[in-house]
Amino acid sequence: MSDNQSWNSSGSEEDAEPRDESGHLVGCVDLSGVLSKWTNYIHGWQDRWVVLKNNTLSYYKSQDETEYGCRGSLCLSKAVVTPHEFDECRLDISVNDSVWYLRAQDPEHRHQWIDSVELHRTIREGRREKGGVQGTIFIPPPLVRLLADSGYGSESSLRRHGSMLSLTSATSGFSATSSSSFKGHSLREKLAEMETFRDILCRQVDTLQKYFDGCSDAVSKDELQRDKIVEDDEDDFPNTRTDGEFLHNNHGSKEKLFQAVSPKGINGIDFKGEAITFKATTAGILATLSHCIDLMVKREDSWQKRVDKEMEKRRRIEEGYKSALNDMKKKSHLRGPDYEEGPNSLINEDEFFDAVEAALDRQDKIEEQSHTEKIRLHRSSPVPPGDIYSSIGTHRFSEKVEEMVQNHMTYSLQDVGGDANWQLVVEEGEMKVYRREVEENGIVLDPLKATHSVKGVTGHEVCHYFWDTAYRNDWETTIENFNVVETLSENATVVYQTHKRVWPASQRDVLYLSAMRKILANNENDPDTWLVCNFSVDHDDAQPPGRCVRAKINIGMICQTLVSPPEGDKEISRDNILCKITYVANVNPGGWAPASVLRAVAKREYPKFLKRFTSYVQEKTAGKPILF
C-alpha cells in the first residue's frame, strides 16, 4: 500500500466479529428453550420457543415452527435486561420502546437466561471498544499538490513555508463566513470588500513568494561559483579589486561574481512596489475588519434577543417532545402485565377506574347495537308444571338448596328502609338499590339489595327467564360463555360461566348451583313467592383455570305477584298484574381490584342490569298468555 493510501482518519472502525466454523460468535454461549411471553391483555402469557444466538434474541410459536421463521427478534446491543422485583421467574428485555415480558420455569432458568443475554452483550461491547484505533490526520501529497495548483503558492514553497498553508486555510474559512446571511446592507458590503482584499493579498503573497524563491536560487548559485573560483585560483588571487562586481584572474580577464540586482528586482518584479501594495492591502483588511466588528457589536443586543427567543422556543419543543415520548412509552407499556390487576400493579385507582369505565362504555355500545337482533330471535323453552318447583328434591345438594331458600325467605324480604346499616345508593322510579359496606382482608364484600315493581309480568315469568339458561345470552351482557356442568333435577343445575374481561381487571369466572323454587303462602290472601337462588359450589368437572379469578356468589331473585280485580266481568289481563321484585347479591370478587372501583362499578351496573332484565321479560311476555 502506498503512502497516499495508508493515511488514517481520527474515527474508529469496528473489527470484524470473530466467529467459529458454524458462524457463531466466539466466546458466546447460544441458548434456546421454552419461555412464557406476555402477548396481550386478552391472551395473557403464552409459551414460546426462544432462541439466543449471535447477539440476537428471537422467538417462535413452538420449536416445531422454527423452520418457518421467527415471529419477532431483538438485537441485544442496546438491550436492557431487568429482573422483575417481585416475580422471581420473570425478566423484562427492552430496546427503546419495544419491551418483551418473559417468564422462565423457575428462578434458576431465569438466572441462566439473564447471564447468557448479558454475556452476549458484554462480549460484543468489548470488541467494539477494542476495535476503535485513534490516529492523527495525515495530509497526503496529492492534497498538497491540489492546494498548490489552486494558486496559493508552489509545492516546494508550501513545504518550506508552513505558514502559507495556514494562510490559505484561514482565507478559505473566511470565505465561508462571508457567504453567510448577515442582515444589514453595510455589513454585506464590507464582507464583499474583505473578499476582494483576500484575493489581492493572495496574489501578492504568491508574487512575494516567487521573489523570495528567485533570491534564494541566485544566492545559492553565486556561492557555488565563488567557492569554485577560490579553489581554482587561490594562489593567483589579486591583491586589489577594481570594482565591486569583478575580480582579476591570472590571465588578466574579469569574471562576474554577483549578479547585479536591477531596480525591477529578479524576473522583473518591483519588490518595493509590491511591498508597499502588500502593506496597503493589509491595512485595508484591518480597517474593514474593524468596521465589521463595530457593526456586529451594535447588533449584538438584537442578535442576543433572537438567540434567547430561539433557545426558549427550543426548550419548549424539547419539553414537549419529552412529554410526548413519555406518554408514548406509557401507552406502549400500559397493556403490559405490570399495569393489570395484581398485588404489585403499577396502575393507580383513578387510572384503573377510568380504564374500567371506558371498557364498560364500549361494551354497552356494542350491546345496544345487538339488542334489537336478540329481541327478534324467537326462542321457546317448555315450561314445566308448577308443581315441580314446590319440591325440595333428592340430589346431593338438596339440603344446601333448602337452607339457602329459607335464609332468603327470612332475611332477604325484610324491609331495610329504616336500617342504618343499609345505604340507599340509587333511586330511579320504583327501583331502589341499597348497599351495606363490608370488607374482609381488603376485599370488598358489600351486600346489595334492590327492590323493584314491574307491571304486566308475574313472579313466575320473571324467575323463569332468570333461571332458564336458554334465554341467558339474550339479557346477560357480561357473560363471555357458559355451560351447564350438571343437571341435578328439573329445577336445579350446576352452571359454569366466564365473564367478559374488563381491562385492567382480571377475567372472572363463576361456578354455581342455580335452583328455582315456588314457596306457597301460608295465608290464602298472601301471594305465593317465586325464588331463584344462585350460590357457589365446587365441582370436579369445572376446576379453576389459571387465567381467571374465581368469584364466589350468593344471589337471590325473589318475586311476588299482586293482582288487582278487573272491572266488571272482564278477564284478568296484564294490566291487572304487578310483580314485586327483591334482588339480593353477595359477591366476593376475589383478586386485587381497588375497593373504590368495585363499589363504583356495582353502583353503575346493578341498576342497569335490573332495568335491562325486567324490560326483556316485559318484551318477551307481551301478547302471550299469563303464566301464574
mmCIF file of all heavy atoms in Angstrom, residues 2 7 16 18 84 97 123 128 168 174 229 253 265 295 320 336 359 383 385 389 414 436 438 450 487 532 534:
data_model
loop_
_atom_site.group_PDB
_atom_site.id
_atom_site.type_symbol
_atom_site.label_atom_id
_atom_site.label_comp_id
_atom_site.label_asym_id
_atom_site.label_seq_id
_atom_site.Cartn_x
_atom_site.Cartn_y
_atom_site.Cartn_z
ATOM 1 N N SER A 2 0.555 2.231 -0.859
ATOM 2 C CA SER A 2 1.362 3.440 -0.975
ATOM 3 C C SER A 2 1.081 4.370 0.172
ATOM 4 O O SER A 2 0.138 4.215 0.919
ATOM 5 C CB SER A 2 1.054 4.138 -2.317
ATOM 6 O OG SER A 2 -0.288 4.536 -2.334
ATOM 7 N N TRP A 7 -3.008 6.582 4.908
ATOM 8 C CA TRP A 7 -3.257 7.538 5.991
ATOM 9 C C TRP A 7 -4.579 7.212 6.670
ATOM 10 O O TRP A 7 -5.520 6.769 6.059
ATOM 11 C CB TRP A 7 -3.217 8.979 5.463
ATOM 12 C CG TRP A 7 -4.182 9.285 4.380
ATOM 13 C CD1 TRP A 7 -4.097 8.965 3.059
ATOM 14 C CD2 TRP A 7 -5.417 9.997 4.517
ATOM 15 N NE1 TRP A 7 -5.168 9.400 2.363
ATOM 16 C CE2 TRP A 7 -6.001 10.049 3.226
ATOM 17 C CE3 TRP A 7 -6.076 10.585 5.596
ATOM 18 C CZ2 TRP A 7 -7.207 10.675 2.995
ATOM 19 C CZ3 TRP A 7 -7.274 11.211 5.354
ATOM 20 C CH2 TRP A 7 -7.825 11.250 4.060
ATOM 21 N N ALA A 16 -13.871 -6.889 12.509
ATOM 22 C CA ALA A 16 -14.805 -7.940 12.140
ATOM 23 C C ALA A 16 -15.042 -8.848 13.338
ATOM 24 O O ALA A 16 -14.137 -9.117 14.110
ATOM 25 C CB ALA A 16 -14.256 -8.739 10.971
ATOM 26 N N PRO A 18 -15.185 -12.023 15.335
ATOM 27 C CA PRO A 18 -14.615 -13.365 15.196
ATOM 28 C C PRO A 18 -15.673 -14.421 15.423
ATOM 29 O O PRO A 18 -16.421 -14.375 16.393
ATOM 30 C CB PRO A 18 -13.544 -13.404 16.294
ATOM 31 C CG PRO A 18 -13.982 -12.407 17.298
ATOM 32 C CD PRO A 18 -14.693 -11.327 16.543
ATOM 33 N N HIS A 84 -37.548 -8.954 37.330
ATOM 34 C CA HIS A 84 -38.711 -8.359 37.997
ATOM 35 C C HIS A 84 -38.491 -8.314 39.505
ATOM 36 O O HIS A 84 -37.850 -9.178 40.100
ATOM 37 C CB HIS A 84 -39.969 -9.169 37.677
ATOM 38 C CG HIS A 84 -41.218 -8.416 37.971
ATOM 39 N ND1 HIS A 84 -41.904 -8.544 39.153
ATOM 40 C CD2 HIS A 84 -41.907 -7.510 37.241
ATOM 41 C CE1 HIS A 84 -42.972 -7.763 39.143
ATOM 42 N NE2 HIS A 84 -43.001 -7.121 37.987
ATOM 43 N N ASP A 97 -38.500 1.493 22.732
ATOM 44 C CA ASP A 97 -39.896 1.388 23.162
ATOM 45 C C ASP A 97 -40.429 -0.038 23.104
ATOM 46 O O ASP A 97 -41.562 -0.284 23.494
ATOM 47 C CB ASP A 97 -40.796 2.278 22.280
ATOM 48 C CG ASP A 97 -40.456 3.743 22.455
ATOM 49 O OD1 ASP A 97 -39.897 4.082 23.501
ATOM 50 O OD2 ASP A 97 -40.741 4.530 21.539
ATOM 51 N N ILE A 123 -19.603 -9.206 25.525
ATOM 52 C CA ILE A 123 -18.583 -9.596 24.538
ATOM 53 C C ILE A 123 -18.656 -8.691 23.319
ATOM 54 O O ILE A 123 -17.650 -8.225 22.787
ATOM 55 C CB ILE A 123 -18.766 -11.075 24.156
ATOM 56 C CG1 ILE A 123 -18.366 -11.964 25.334
ATOM 57 C CG2 ILE A 123 -17.947 -11.427 22.925
ATOM 58 C CD1 ILE A 123 -18.529 -13.435 25.070
ATOM 59 N N ARG A 128 -16.297 -3.940 20.351
ATOM 60 C CA ARG A 128 -16.500 -2.629 19.725
ATOM 61 C C ARG A 128 -15.497 -1.608 20.273
ATOM 62 O O ARG A 128 -14.944 -0.803 19.551
ATOM 63 C CB ARG A 128 -17.932 -2.149 19.989
ATOM 64 C CG ARG A 128 -18.214 -0.790 19.360
ATOM 65 C CD ARG A 128 -19.633 -0.335 19.618
ATOM 66 N NE ARG A 128 -20.568 -1.141 18.882
ATOM 67 C CZ ARG A 128 -21.395 -2.001 19.441
ATOM 68 N NH1 ARG A 128 -21.391 -2.168 20.744
ATOM 69 N NH2 ARG A 128 -22.243 -2.711 18.709
ATOM 70 N N THR A 168 -3.759 30.032 3.617
ATOM 71 C CA THR A 168 -4.792 29.626 2.676
ATOM 72 C C THR A 168 -5.987 29.022 3.393
ATOM 73 O O THR A 168 -7.139 29.215 2.996
ATOM 74 C CB THR A 168 -4.221 28.601 1.679
ATOM 75 O OG1 THR A 168 -3.683 27.510 2.416
ATOM 76 C CG2 THR A 168 -3.138 29.207 0.833
ATOM 77 N N PHE A 174 -12.609 32.160 5.916
ATOM 78 C CA PHE A 174 -13.260 33.454 5.918
ATOM 79 C C PHE A 174 -14.227 33.569 4.757
ATOM 80 O O PHE A 174 -15.266 34.193 4.859
ATOM 81 C CB PHE A 174 -12.202 34.559 5.837
ATOM 82 C CG PHE A 174 -12.808 35.932 5.948
ATOM 83 C CD1 PHE A 174 -13.171 36.432 7.193
ATOM 84 C CD2 PHE A 174 -13.065 36.690 4.826
ATOM 85 C CE1 PHE A 174 -13.730 37.685 7.297
ATOM 86 C CE2 PHE A 174 -13.632 37.931 4.936
ATOM 87 C CZ PHE A 174 -13.967 38.437 6.166
ATOM 88 N N ILE A 229 35.852 29.472 -7.796
ATOM 89 C CA ILE A 229 36.950 30.381 -8.180
ATOM 90 C C ILE A 229 38.023 30.385 -7.116
ATOM 91 O O ILE A 229 39.224 30.333 -7.396
ATOM 92 C CB ILE A 229 36.411 31.803 -8.414
ATOM 93 C CG1 ILE A 229 35.479 31.816 -9.637
ATOM 94 C CG2 ILE A 229 37.528 32.816 -8.579
ATOM 95 C CD1 ILE A 229 34.769 33.132 -9.859
ATOM 96 N N SER A 253 41.812 38.685 -17.166
ATOM 97 C CA SER A 253 40.406 38.898 -17.530
ATOM 98 C C SER A 253 39.552 39.091 -16.285
ATOM 99 O O SER A 253 39.967 38.736 -15.182
ATOM 100 C CB SER A 253 39.878 37.708 -18.343
ATOM 101 O OG SER A 253 39.935 36.533 -17.561
ATOM 102 N N GLY A 265 14.255 44.248 -9.768
ATOM 103 C CA GLY A 265 14.433 43.008 -8.999
ATOM 104 C C GLY A 265 14.588 41.819 -9.918
ATOM 105 O O GLY A 265 14.832 41.953 -11.122
ATOM 106 N N LEU A 295 -19.988 47.006 13.548
ATOM 107 C CA LEU A 295 -21.365 46.713 13.160
ATOM 108 C C LEU A 295 -21.936 45.550 13.973
ATOM 109 O O LEU A 295 -23.091 45.580 14.420
ATOM 110 C CB LEU A 295 -21.419 46.383 11.667
ATOM 111 C CG LEU A 295 -21.181 47.550 10.701
ATOM 112 C CD1 LEU A 295 -21.129 47.038 9.267
ATOM 113 C CD2 LEU A 295 -22.279 48.595 10.837
ATOM 114 N N GLY A 320 -41.857 19.451 25.182
ATOM 115 C CA GLY A 320 -42.999 18.809 24.552
ATOM 116 C C GLY A 320 -42.657 17.450 23.981
ATOM 117 O O GLY A 320 -43.440 16.496 24.077
ATOM 118 N N GLY A 336 -49.179 -3.885 29.324
ATOM 119 C CA GLY A 336 -48.285 -4.929 29.807
ATOM 120 C C GLY A 336 -48.768 -5.517 31.117
ATOM 121 O O GLY A 336 -49.706 -5.026 31.752
ATOM 122 N N ALA A 359 -63.982 0.673 29.229
ATOM 123 C CA ALA A 359 -64.284 -0.658 28.695
ATOM 124 C C ALA A 359 -65.770 -0.976 28.825
ATOM 125 O O ALA A 359 -66.382 -1.550 27.911
ATOM 126 C CB ALA A 359 -63.441 -1.703 29.413
ATOM 127 N N VAL A 383 -92.264 -24.917 29.466
ATOM 128 C CA VAL A 383 -92.393 -24.518 30.867
ATOM 129 C C VAL A 383 -92.890 -25.716 31.666
ATOM 130 O O VAL A 383 -94.001 -26.214 31.430
ATOM 131 C CB VAL A 383 -93.367 -23.343 31.024
ATOM 132 C CG1 VAL A 383 -93.470 -22.942 32.488
ATOM 133 C CG2 VAL A 383 -92.915 -22.167 30.167
ATOM 134 N N PRO A 385 -94.492 -27.949 34.655
ATOM 135 C CA PRO A 385 -95.629 -27.639 35.555
ATOM 136 C C PRO A 385 -95.146 -27.062 36.871
ATOM 137 O O PRO A 385 -94.052 -27.375 37.347
ATOM 138 C CB PRO A 385 -96.296 -29.016 35.743
ATOM 139 C CG PRO A 385 -95.242 -30.021 35.406
ATOM 140 C CD PRO A 385 -94.403 -29.389 34.335
ATOM 141 N N TYR A 389 -91.595 -27.190 41.054
ATOM 142 C CA TYR A 389 -90.826 -26.167 41.739
ATOM 143 C C TYR A 389 -91.135 -26.112 43.232
ATOM 144 O O TYR A 389 -90.472 -25.406 43.994
ATOM 145 C CB TYR A 389 -91.074 -24.795 41.119
ATOM 146 C CG TYR A 389 -90.640 -24.711 39.676
ATOM 147 C CD1 TYR A 389 -91.584 -24.573 38.665
ATOM 148 C CD2 TYR A 389 -89.286 -24.775 39.336
ATOM 149 C CE1 TYR A 389 -91.204 -24.489 37.341
ATOM 150 C CE2 TYR A 389 -88.899 -24.702 38.004
ATOM 151 C CZ TYR A 389 -89.853 -24.566 37.011
ATOM 152 O OH TYR A 389 -89.460 -24.506 35.707
ATOM 153 N N GLN A 414 -86.849 -8.860 54.391
ATOM 154 C CA GLN A 414 -87.001 -7.854 55.442
ATOM 155 C C GLN A 414 -86.831 -6.452 54.873
ATOM 156 O O GLN A 414 -85.995 -6.215 53.995
ATOM 157 C CB GLN A 414 -85.970 -8.092 56.552
ATOM 158 C CG GLN A 414 -86.215 -9.351 57.368
ATOM 159 C CD GLN A 414 -85.158 -9.555 58.438
ATOM 160 O OE1 GLN A 414 -84.184 -8.812 58.510
ATOM 161 N NE2 GLN A 414 -85.367 -10.556 59.289
ATOM 162 N N ARG A 436 -74.678 -2.233 51.837
ATOM 163 C CA ARG A 436 -74.071 -2.247 53.172
ATOM 164 C C ARG A 436 -72.589 -2.549 52.991
ATOM 165 O O ARG A 436 -72.220 -3.592 52.455
ATOM 166 C CB ARG A 436 -74.735 -3.303 54.059
ATOM 167 C CG ARG A 436 -74.204 -3.339 55.482
ATOM 168 C CD ARG A 436 -75.230 -4.023 56.394
ATOM 169 N NE ARG A 436 -75.612 -5.339 55.900
ATOM 170 C CZ ARG A 436 -74.955 -6.471 56.212
ATOM 171 N NH1 ARG A 436 -73.889 -6.418 56.998
ATOM 172 N NH2 ARG A 436 -75.382 -7.627 55.761
ATOM 173 N N VAL A 438 -69.023 -3.744 53.480
ATOM 174 C CA VAL A 438 -68.341 -4.802 54.238
ATOM 175 C C VAL A 438 -67.032 -5.117 53.522
ATOM 176 O O VAL A 438 -67.017 -5.294 52.296
ATOM 177 C CB VAL A 438 -69.196 -6.085 54.341
ATOM 178 C CG1 VAL A 438 -68.409 -7.183 55.059
ATOM 179 C CG2 VAL A 438 -70.504 -5.792 55.055
ATOM 180 N N ALA A 450 -81.870 -4.787 46.053
ATOM 181 C CA ALA A 450 -82.630 -3.899 45.175
ATOM 182 C C ALA A 450 -84.096 -4.317 45.208
ATOM 183 O O ALA A 450 -84.424 -5.513 45.221
ATOM 184 C CB ALA A 450 -82.087 -3.971 43.750
ATOM 185 N N THR A 487 -76.951 -31.349 35.419
ATOM 186 C CA THR A 487 -78.366 -31.136 35.708
ATOM 187 C C THR A 487 -78.741 -32.011 36.895
ATOM 188 O O THR A 487 -78.780 -33.253 36.787
ATOM 189 C CB THR A 487 -79.236 -31.479 34.495
ATOM 190 O OG1 THR A 487 -78.845 -30.659 33.387
ATOM 191 C CG2 THR A 487 -80.706 -31.259 34.798
ATOM 192 N N VAL A 532 -85.429 -17.705 42.795
ATOM 193 C CA VAL A 532 -84.260 -18.332 42.158
ATOM 194 C C VAL A 532 -83.052 -18.001 43.025
ATOM 195 O O VAL A 532 -82.786 -16.817 43.298
ATOM 196 C CB VAL A 532 -84.029 -17.832 40.723
ATOM 197 C CG1 VAL A 532 -82.736 -18.443 40.150
ATOM 198 C CG2 VAL A 532 -85.215 -18.178 39.837
ATOM 199 N N ASN A 534 -78.904 -18.578 43.407
ATOM 200 C CA ASN A 534 -77.636 -18.987 42.781
ATOM 201 C C ASN A 534 -76.534 -18.849 43.823
ATOM 202 O O ASN A 534 -76.294 -17.748 44.335
ATOM 203 C CB ASN A 534 -77.304 -18.116 41.568
ATOM 204 C CG ASN A 534 -78.351 -18.209 40.467
ATOM 205 O OD1 ASN A 534 -79.069 -19.203 40.382
ATOM 206 N ND2 ASN A 534 -78.425 -17.176 39.633
#
